[in-house]
Amino acid sequence: MSGLGYRLAAVQAGIADAAREAGREASGITTIVVTKFHPASLVRELAAHGVRDVGENRHQEAQAKAAELADLGLRWHFVGQLQSKKAKQVRAYAAAIHSVDRPALVDALRSDEASVDCFVQVNLTDDPGRGGVAPDALEELVERVLGTPGLRLRGLMAVAPLDEPARPAFARVRELSERVVRLAPEARDLSMGMSHDFRDAILEGATHLRIGSAITGNRPAAG
């Protein structure tokens, strides 16, 4: 087995262990392998190991890889901050957009032709530059998503702050999710947990993990 295969198997085992600890089924957790800066050849190797959900942070890179690898039938997840002017282009290849965080982006993603899954990103810090809607504006943004054609709200996305333990942060997301479910009972998914904190995320109910380096290895330098 290649190094990539070993790392993938190790993460899958860690996910299964955390799911057991949480009294959950690992089959109910989607692992999105984030391949930012890695070549399309690595994504093809991941697909050979059974990976079907792939995440990208940057539109230009995601668009090129999705086109090159169209034969693989992958589900592409856009997980980075998204400029409103790129929204229509991202819709063209993304199965899900995890970073819906402001009214202007919701409006830009509108479509009368097709639906795309989306997650509302919540900012768990006091830094507005981190991306995500402030918790006190959550319901207003959720209602805007629900009223916009072409968007299918799946739930919330969040990144744990670097300067505090991850699990209490993820618990806050779970509590915020309860407010969302009152408005949209089907929007129960939680996109949270990365290479270093996915166990804590699973224990707090994560349904979608965004895991990069623990599976892909260290990223090459950005080109």
Side-chain angles (χ1 to χ4, degrees), residues 88-116:
K88 293 282 193 240
Q89 296 173 61
V90 171
R91 280 192 61 112
Y93 59 80
I97 298 168
H98 291 242
S99 47
V100 174
D101 63 354
R102 60 196 186 280
L105 180 56
V106 174
D107 296 348
L109 286 167
R110 177 192 174 110
S111 172
D112 294 314
E113 277 79 55
S115 287
V116 66

Side-chain angles (χ1 to χ4, degrees), residues 1 10 73 76 79 82 171 178 212 222:
M1 190 187 291
W76 293 90
V79 300
L82 177 55
E178 293 168 7

